[in-house]
Amino acid sequence: MCGIAGYVGDYDAKSILYECIKRLEYRGYDSYGYAIISSNKLFVEKNVGYIKPISLNVRANIGIAHTRWATHGKVSKENAHPHTSCNNLIAVVHNGIIKNFKELRNELINKGHKFKSETDTEVVAHLIEEYLKENDFEEAFRKAILKLKGSFAIAAIYVNQPDKILIARNENPLLIGIGNFGNFIASDVNAFIKYTKRAIALDDFEYGIVTKNGFVIKDLYTKRKIKKSEIRIDWDEDLALKEGYEHFMLKEINEEPIVVSYALNINFDENILNLLLNSSKIYLIGAGTSLHAGMHAEYWFSKYCRIQAIATDATELFERCVVDKDTTIIAISQSGETYDTLVAMKEAKKHGAKIISIVNVPGSTATRLSDYTILQGAGVEVAVCATKTYVSQLVILLKLILELSKRLGYYDGFLDEEISSLKEKIENVLRNCNDIRKVANDMFKSKNYLFLSRGINLPSAYEAALKLKEITYFHAEGMSSAMLKHGTISLIDENMETIFLIPGSGRNRERIISNLHEVLSRGGKVLAITPKEVKDVVNIIVPDTSEDLLPIVFAPAYQLLAYYVAYKYGREIDKPRHLAKSVTVE
Ligand code: F6R
């Protein structure tokens, strides 16, 4: 979940490393650090808190940097990366978890090594130092990596060979950025997108030697050179800038109309459609927000294709589903790096399943594990809280399912006109942001919230609750309004705020409003988010559309609501505590 960056080239590494690592701050932000080599000396600077530029006044053409999301050892300057060897000639940064670090640490202590931190990572610097006694840097690095059990993306530099960065990967993303005035390494393309849009991704058990003029990738076990294809990152680097918005989250919600237009223009590969039409089982897997997108798709699959697809938390796939060669997995992941989702994908492949992924980050691990990938094209999402990428996932899934429905002879285009007006409908919600802000300021005084709905909008209730709790730190729960009376209703009193997501017409509207009255009559506070005003309660009105498309129109409304509530309470909106943008650990 941490971020790694590195640079070797003609320019001053200090400012480049700062730019790169700053762009990765959303991957972890409890502490940070840099290691650079200048005049045959290693300089390390690290600190707790948000990333600041290097203060050292030396010139360097090589360096590595890290932003940390603590796993082993508390948040402290000592535990921040880079970590160094006893002789201070080697510096290492690492993402992931080294499971056997205690044994390795004890072995190294017995050999006389002195440790300065509580981290698992530090063993790597000492191991390289140990192997350097009889090997060159590359071989010492390779041997050190082979001792590790667990997951890692690692980069190391060595004072006596100041022309190269060595890198290695297992289960944690690591990329090389091919620049014109030097080369980059990073855990995420965002780090170097300002400097280059050409990238190479390492796969598991590969290591690389990156120099100013080139790179080589090799197999960790055999040392055989591996040819890799280049990935082009067609993202606009300015998307990683706030452009006048106070927070990335607000900016990204405001990008939803563009994201919807892009998603509506995606044409699906015939092979994807045929695969889905010929699969006897379809499972949609993901985590958090991406899982919620999959849950909506489950409803759409059953309604429009009469196909029983199952959406499941990726970690539960093998607990509850039969996965075999007749199975197609639709893996949904913004980052394409979520550990839990990747593990399920790999296991599903072993069982003979085919994998289609819906991913936002080009070249990410999920894209390389899939038989087919649908790239979201939503551009970089910086705020930890997923917003525009969720809306894009919904539109892509809806379009895909309707395309299948058409081929199955069920869909004749009756929703097409409404779908083409989704962009305007979202714009309309965004224009009404002041009404939403007012509700956020006037209500939302409690520490507990319930988001309630039914049918296709039930996953909207889950997602709305996730948005609120993630950035406000208040407890929120999404549930079926019908299920309220089966237990949760006992929580209703004047301190419980309930938010109902209600369609503008139909059976579910009547049923949900009836549940809303059950809350009102018990003294609960009620807000309705709906296209048609509900009497006796506070309303946020959104443009009317078919109930099945409402998840896409509700999303910006409850996302803005969460944003303004978090704003009111002065939360760190783009970087909520304890979280990181992609969860690359188990
Ligand atoms: C919520 C959020 C997380 C992610 C989840 C999966 O706002 O961002 O719940 O949705 O960690 O991440 P991806 O989609 O990258 O696999």
Side-chain angles (χ1 to χ4, degrees):
M1 330 241 290
C2 319
I4 287 179
Y7 170 73
V8 50
D10 293 330
Y11 286 78
D12 179 24
K14 294 200 306 293
S15 52
I16 292 179
L17 286 175
Y18 171 65
E19 279 285 336
C20 291
I21 205 69
K22 191 72 191 157
R23 283 169 179 255
L24 294 189
E25 203 171 25
Y26 64 91
R27 294 186 68 110
Y29 30 83
D30 48 46
S31 47
Y32 66 94
Y34 304 92
I36 51 173
I37 299 174
S38 179
S39 313
N40 297 323
K41 224 178 141 213
L42 183 71
F43 294 88
V44 176
E45 185 168 304
K46 32 195 201 176
N47 227 324
V48 169
Y50 291 149
I51 299 173
K52 296 207 176 65
I54 308 181
S55 65
L56 292 163
N57 196 15
V58 291
R59 189 173 163 87
N61 297 103
I62 184 166
I64 50 178
H66 190 265
T67 176
R68 182 167 186 247
W69 187 90
T71 55
H72 286 80
K74 60 184 175 296
V75 177
S76 68
K77 198 166 161 172
E78 293 70 37
N79 288 338
H81 301 211
H83 292 287
T84 50
S85 51
C86 296
N87 59 13
N88 258 323
L89 298 178
I90 301 149
V92 171
V93 288
H94 162 230
N95 288 351
I97 292 173
I98 298 167
K99 289 186 178 152
N100 59 337
F101 87 98
K102 282 201 182 120
E103 296 118 81
L104 294 172
R105 190 177 164 112
N106 288 339
E107 277 173 31
L108 288 158
I109 288 172
N110 287 339
K111 287 183 178 153
H113 287 261
K114 299 246 176 325
F115 280 76
K116 300 173 277 262
S117 77
E118 303 158 317
T119 64
D120 51 345
T121 306
E122 195 183 337
V123 294
V124 185
H126 294 278
L127 275 174
I128 299 174
E129 181 176 23
E130 198 56 34
Y131 283 118
L132 266 170
K133 289 177 184 162
E134 287 174 12
N135 300 277
D136 64 12
F137 182 30
E138 181 182 330
E139 191 57 5
F141 177 79
R142 193 183 73 87
K143 285 190 167 152
I145 300 295
L146 285 175
K147 292 282 279 185
L148 310 179
K149 293 201 177 95
S151 63
F152 50 79
I154 289 178
I157 52 173
Y158 175 41
V159 169
N160 293 346
Q161 286 192 29
D163 61 335
K164 55 175 72 79
I165 305 175
L166 298 189
I167 55 176
R169 161 190 165 127
N170 181 37
E171 292 183 350
N172 261 267
L174 196 52
L175 297 119
I176 298 171
I178 310 166
N180 291 329
F181 51 88
N183 289 313
F184 302 81
I185 62 109
S187 48
D188 181 327
V189 291
N190 283 320
F192 50 67
I193 197 159
K194 180 176 167 191
Y195 303 104
T196 178
K197 296 200 158 101
R198 298 171 58 201
I200 299 282
L202 259 69
D203 285 296
D204 288 350
F205 303 111
E206 291 178 354
Y207 76 104
I209 303 116
V210 182
T211 56
K212 173 175 119 176
N213 297 319
F215 63 89
V216 181
I217 296 176
K218 296 184 182 176
D219 183 293
L220 257 174
Y221 296 107
T222 63
K223 299 196 247 178
R224 196 173 37 84
K225 280 193 192 163
I226 298 171
K227 267 191 113 129
K228 306 288 276 188
S229 34
E230 198 176 301
I231 306 159
R232 260 213 85 82
I233 319 294
D234 288 324
W235 281 358
D236 176 359
E237 77 236 30
D238 291 343
L239 282 177
L241 304 172
K242 279 196 200 138
E243 288 172 343
Y245 285 94
E246 197 169 343
H247 295 97
F248 279 111
M249 181 176 173
L250 188 59
K251 175 179 178 252
E252 286 156 4
I253 296 171
N254 276 281
E255 283 164 5
E256 285 173 5
I258 312 170
V259 159
V260 167
S261 299
Y262 184 91
L264 286 176
N265 282 318
I266 292 177
N267 289 317
F268 302 110
D269 181 336
E270 279 300 315
N271 293 317
I272 294 182
L273 299 168
N274 288 334
L275 179 59
L276 288 167
L277 289 171
N278 293 312
S279 300
S280 63
K281 293 185 279 299
I282 299 174
Y283 301 123
L284 299 127
I285 63 166
T289 296
S290 294
L291 169 61
H292 296 153
M295 287 177 169
H296 288 288
E298 183 181 313
Y299 283 79
W300 289 325
F301 262 118
S302 78
K303 180 153 181 191
Y304 296 113
C305 300
R306 299 182 202 166
I307 289 176
Q308 182 60 72
I310 295 176
T312 176
D313 157 352
T315 61
E316 295 293 319
L317 178 66
F318 283 88
E319 304 286 335
R320 59 187 286 224
C321 300
V322 179
V323 180
D324 57 24
K325 63 175 184 22
D326 299 321
T327 306
T328 298
I329 303 285
I330 303 183
I332 310 166
S333 176
Q334 184 287 126
S335 61
E337 301 294 354
T338 298
Y339 181 90
D340 293 331
T341 307
L342 296 181
V343 168
M345 288 170 77
K346 285 182 198 161
E347 200 53 35
K349 267 182 102 154
K350 281 193 206 146
H351 283 70
K354 288 272 184 279
I355 300 180
I356 299 167
S357 59
I358 300 179
V359 174
N360 192 38
V361 179
S364 55
T365 308
T367 65
R368 300 198 306 286
L369 286 176
S370 306
D371 296 286
Y372 305 101
T373 295
I374 302 169
L375 276 181
Q376 293 183 233
V380 57
E381 187 174 67
V382 177
V384 165
C385 187
T387 54
K388 66 172 177 175
T389 53
Y390 172 66
V391 169
S392 134
Q393 288 165 347
L394 290 183
V395 176
I396 291 169
L397 283 162
L398 177 69
K399 246 204 97 182
L400 177 67
I401 292 164
L402 291 180
E403 188 57 47
L404 294 169
S405 176
K406 205 182 282 172
R407 288 172 192 232
L408 289 165
Y410 303 132
Y411 181 65
D412 62 3
F414 61 91
L415 277 175
D416 285 1
E417 212 178 299
E418 273 196 80
I419 291 176
S420 60
S421 68
L422 278 171
K423 176 174 173 277
E424 284 72 40
K425 289 186 172 153
I426 291 181
E427 281 165 351
N428 183 310
V429 175
L430 299 175
R431 271 197 299 278
N432 288 341
C433 63
N434 284 335
D435 294 349
I436 299 176
R437 184 175 204 153
K438 187 167 171 353
V439 172
N441 288 339
D442 295 351
M443 296 180 76
F444 291 86
K445 300 198 163 124
S446 158
K447 286 201 162 120
N448 290 296
Y449 299 88
L450 288 176
F451 286 83
L452 302 152
S453 196
R454 288 173 88 131
I456 181 68
N457 283 296
L458 178 54
S460 307
Y462 300 148
E463 176 59 10
L466 180 62
K467 292 302 91 159
L468 189 84
K469 63 186 154 193
E470 188 177 2
I471 58 170
T472 64
Y473 317 150
F474 294 135
H475 174 245
E477 196 179 331
M479 67 184 293
S480 151
S481 58
M483 289 297 112
L484 198 59
K485 56 188 168 298
H486 296 285
T488 311
I489 202 160
S490 67
L491 291 175
I492 301 293
D493 62 15
E494 65 288 356
N495 295 318
M496 177 60 88
E497 298 195 30
T498 54
I499 299 99
F500 285 83
L501 301 165
I502 311 173
S505 58
R507 203 164 60 133
N508 276 337
R509 177 173 171 91
E510 284 159 30
R511 289 159 145 184
I512 299 171
I513 292 181
S514 147
N515 299 140
L516 177 152
H517 282 286
E518 290 162 6
V519 171
L520 271 186
S521 59
R522 284 161 182 84
K525 284 201 269 173
V526 176
L527 165 67
I529 306 183
T530 175
K532 203 166 133 212
E533 187 172 351
V534 176
K535 287 203 194 82
D536 305 326
V537 301
V538 178
N539 285 264
I540 289 176
I541 302 294
V542 297
D544 202 4
T545 190
S546 144
E547 184 177 347
D548 290 342
L549 304 187
L550 266 177
I552 298 162
V553 176
F554 277 150
Y558 62 67
Q559 291 166 352
L560 283 171
L561 192 62
Y563 172 82
Y564 289 122
V565 176
Y567 191 95
K568 168 167 103 170
Y569 290 99
R571 305 294 193 234
E572 274 291 345
I573 295 179
D574 286 336
K575 294 172 197 145
R577 70 184 179 201
H578 312 322
L579 288 173
K581 185 72 184 160
S582 51
V583 184
T584 53
V585 291
E586 192 168 9

